Amino acid sequence: MNLVGAEGKGESVWLAWFMVDVLQGMAEIADLLDQPELSRTWQRDRKALSKHVEQFAWDGEWYLRATFDDGTPIGSAANEEARIDSLPQSWAWLTGAADPSAPPRPWMRRGATSCARMRVWS
């Protein structure tokens, strides 16, 4: 994991979701400071980042953990090892920004609390 992005090209998916959350907080602060234009900017950036994460980090089963500089995925359903990582799944849910119209995501259902329920051990 310490080589993810060593050349500046790798991407962290959980960190992208975290940034989505930070942008929401920045928009709320801008609203409190009576800066609606700035708030709209942060919301626009948040929406764009969420869309990119959905487009590039969803592998059909769950969100990747990251990609190496060469684009090799970490935490993909196609990986033999480290097939799923809780961080990007958790942050997608915590931000409330994951696409609710996407295919069913068992880990987002109420009560889906274990890996056995998420059927990741297949």
Side-chain angles (χ1 to χ4, degrees):
M1 289 294 293
N2 65 336
L3 295 178
V4 172
E7 296 173 15
K9 299 175 190 170
E11 299 285 341
S12 170
V13 176
W14 86 263
L15 192 57
W17 282 123
F18 180 71
M19 185 65 184
V20 166
D21 196 52
V22 168
L23 289 168
Q24 177 63 38
M26 296 299 291
E28 291 171 9
I29 290 170
D31 284 336
L32 290 172
L33 296 173
D34 198 27
Q35 296 186 19
E37 184 62 34
L38 184 57
S39 178
R40 283 190 292 276
T41 298
W42 294 132
Q43 287 292 356
R44 185 176 55 245
D45 291 349
R46 179 181 192 267
K47 185 176 181 179
L49 181 56
S50 296
K51 182 179 177 181
H52 288 327
V53 173
E54 289 289 342
Q55 185 177 357
F56 297 109
W58 179 254
D59 78 349
E61 294 291 326
W62 50 72
Y63 295 103
L64 302 175
R65 166 65 170 87
T67 59
F68 286 105
D69 288 320
D70 68 359
T72 302
I74 301 168
S76 170
N79 291 134
E80 288 185 31
E81 297 179 356
R83 292 187 62 210
I84 189 169
D85 189 294
S86 174
L87 279 171
Q89 315 331 305
S90 299
W91 277 100
W93 183 82
L94 288 169
T95 65
D99 183 358
S101 67
R105 298 171 183 191
W107 49 267
M108 290 182 75
R109 278 190 241 137
R110 180 181 294 272
T113 57
S114 71
C115 288
R117 283 187 168 161
M118 294 189 293
R119 299 181 325 184
V120 297
W121 303 113
S122 59

